[in-house]
Amino acid sequence: MGNQRITASDLFLGGLALLLVSVSFYQTWQGLEQIFGHAAIVISLALSLLLLYLCWLLREAKLTGRPTGKLMAVYSFIALFCFMANFNALYTRFMRTDIYTAELRDINARFDKLEADVNSKFNYKYDKATAQNVETKKKQLVEQIQDKGNPGMGNRARMLIKDLEKLLGQKVDILRPVGNDYADLADRMGRQIDGIVSDLSPEEAKLKTDLSAATKKWSDKIQEILLLPKKDKDEQAQGVIDQSLAEYNKLGQKATNILGEEKFKFEPKESNTQDIGKIGYAFDHAVQNFGVYQLVVLLGCILLDFIIPIILLLVTKPGDNNNNGGSVFTHKRSGNVLIPNN
């Protein structure tokens, strides 16, 4: 009469299979949700149950000495869908904040570059080096006048004005604030200096002012977002990206219209961060930014879906179980029954 028992190896492999497939089920559900919506949970469950069933069939085939190639091919085909969804879910979860951060910093740099490029195309009364030095000092003066700790024409502001007068070779009028509106004072001082250093049309002067204001506004806003906790940053970043890029493209196109395409050619900037969470975006971003982290996520997803059948094929030997059922989790032992002669 046969005898069945569950071994420690059975328990370990069974528990490991259930654990890994459960994790794969959840990640597959999350990764497919952007495609299938609420149906993703049903699809994920079906795929996970199929993987478990195929593991059982692989073990049974190996025990009885039957070929496992076709079963492994079917398993790999199904596991490939889980792998893509797993990668999307894990990569998106852990890289979302980094992707938003990189995009926000890139927009900040683009505003600075746009302002510098447009300013370099204006006609100045001074040489390029002097004009750039004046622009730098002017920005420092504008920020100093609006400094919350020491607003207005304090000692630091007056020192900057003296530096500007040396560069310009002429006197700069020290304007007075209207009430406590130091933002207005800073704007008027900036426009005065622009008028001295450049020979701009009204449209060019307005463009220069708008670019300077937008660059500062979005620089401050982006820095504010970058300092937020991870959850708040993820929630607010996309809105800031969309709004800032809309203004960036608007100002760039305005610069082209005013200066002319032969003098300044602008290429609009688009962001793909709206696609965060989609399978295609996850793989595309990983390929373009491949590094240690991307490699770790890739290997982790491969192990998650393929380690169990690999272990089963390596440790299972034909004939280890003599039971006809070929159970994955049981061993059946048989032997001769000795009946003594009376």
Side-chain angles (χ1 to χ4, degrees):
M1 184 175 176
N3 181 20
Q4 293 183 343
R5 68 187 182 89
I6 297 176
T7 67
S9 177
D10 292 329
L11 289 174
F12 174 76
L13 286 176
L16 184 61
L18 286 173
L19 176 63
L20 294 180
V21 172
S22 296
V23 174
S24 179
F25 157 70
Y26 178 76
Q27 299 300 334
T28 303
W29 171 21
Q30 298 297 306
L32 294 178
E33 197 167 24
Q34 54 94 10
I35 299 177
F36 298 104
H38 296 302
I41 187 172
V42 178
I43 296 171
S44 177
L45 180 60
L47 291 174
S48 298
L49 291 175
L50 279 173
L51 292 183
L52 277 176
Y53 179 63
L54 286 167
C55 283
W56 185 85
L57 292 179
L58 280 168
R59 169 84 169 181
E60 184 182 55
K62 193 68 184 292
L63 284 172
T64 56
R66 290 184 285 116
T68 59
K70 291 182 179 179
L71 286 173
M72 194 62 198
V74 174
Y75 181 95
S76 299
F77 179 75
I78 296 174
L80 181 62
F81 289 95
C82 296
F83 164 77
M84 291 189 295
N86 288 337
F87 187 89
N88 179 40
L90 288 171
Y91 192 77
T92 299
R93 178 175 295 112
F94 293 107
M95 287 297 292
R96 181 187 297 271
T97 304
D98 289 343
I99 293 172
Y100 280 141
T101 298
E103 184 70 12
L104 287 168
R105 287 175 175 164
D106 179 66
I107 292 172
N108 199 3
R110 284 180 177 273
F111 266 104
D112 290 336
K113 186 176 185 299
L114 177 63
E115 184 181 15
D117 288 347
V118 171
N119 286 341
S120 68
K121 300 299 187 292
F122 290 140
N123 297 319
Y124 292 99
K125 300 173 184 177
Y126 299 82
D127 61 81
K128 187 175 181 180
T130 301
Q132 288 178 342
N133 289 334
V134 169
E135 184 67 21
T136 301
K137 291 291 183 180
K138 184 202 78 173
K139 287 185 176 181
Q140 293 175 359
L141 176 63
V142 168
E143 291 178 1
Q144 180 60 48
I145 292 173
Q146 299 177 85
D147 183 72
K148 294 181 180 180
N150 184 28
M153 293 297 180
N155 292 333
R156 172 61 178 162
R158 291 179 182 274
M159 289 176 61
L160 289 169
I161 290 174
K162 288 182 179 180
D163 291 340
L164 284 165
E165 289 176 340
K166 290 179 182 179
L167 290 169
L168 296 170
Q170 68 180 81
K171 187 173 179 59
V172 175
D173 295 331
I174 298 179
L175 306 178
R176 294 181 178 275
V178 178
N180 291 323
D181 192 348
Y182 294 107
D184 172 70
L185 175 61
D187 180 63
R188 287 188 286 122
M189 288 296 298
R191 283 190 279 112
Q192 177 191 180
I193 295 167
D194 288 340
I196 295 173
V197 77
S198 61
D199 185 15
L200 304 180
S201 66
E203 293 81 9
E204 289 175 334
K206 181 69 165 57
L207 173 62
K208 183 179 178 68
T209 301
D210 290 346
L211 265 174
S212 179
T215 301
K216 185 177 186 310
K217 178 182 74 173
W218 290 114
S219 176
D220 293 343
K221 183 63 178 177
I222 287 172
Q223 292 305 314
E224 178 184 326
I225 294 294
L226 293 178
L227 292 175
L228 291 175
K230 182 178 183 297
K231 181 180 179 181
D232 295 335
K233 186 188 299 183
D234 290 348
E235 291 176 352
Q236 299 182 36
Q238 188 61 58
V240 173
I241 290 171
D242 292 340
Q243 294 170 23
S244 59
L245 279 182
E247 186 164 2
Y248 171 82
N249 291 331
K250 180 180 178 181
L251 288 170
Q253 190 58 53
K254 182 179 179 181
T256 298
N257 294 337
I258 292 174
L259 298 173
E261 289 190 4
E262 67 284 351
K263 196 171 184 180
F264 181 78
K265 189 172 182 180
F266 174 75
E267 293 184 4
K269 161 71 174 173
E270 295 182 358
S271 174
N272 295 323
T273 52
Q274 298 94 336
D275 295 332
I276 291 178
K278 296 182 179 180
I279 292 176
Y281 181 84
F283 280 94
D284 184 61
H285 188 274
V287 170
Q288 293 183 14
N289 300 274
F290 195 80
V292 175
Y293 183 83
Q294 286 74 13
L295 179 63
V296 169
V297 175
L298 179 66
L299 294 178
C301 291
I302 292 174
L303 289 174
L304 183 63
D305 290 313
F306 291 95
I307 192 63
I308 291 299
I310 291 173
I311 292 176
L312 287 175
L313 293 176
L314 289 176
V315 304
T316 306
K317 296 179 181 179
D320 276 358
N321 283 347
N322 294 321
N323 56 316
N324 294 328
S327 172
V328 178
F329 302 108
T330 61
H331 283 280
K332 181 178 179 182
R333 292 186 176 182
S334 60
N336 295 326
V337 178
L338 299 178
I339 302 175
N341 293 325
N342 292 327

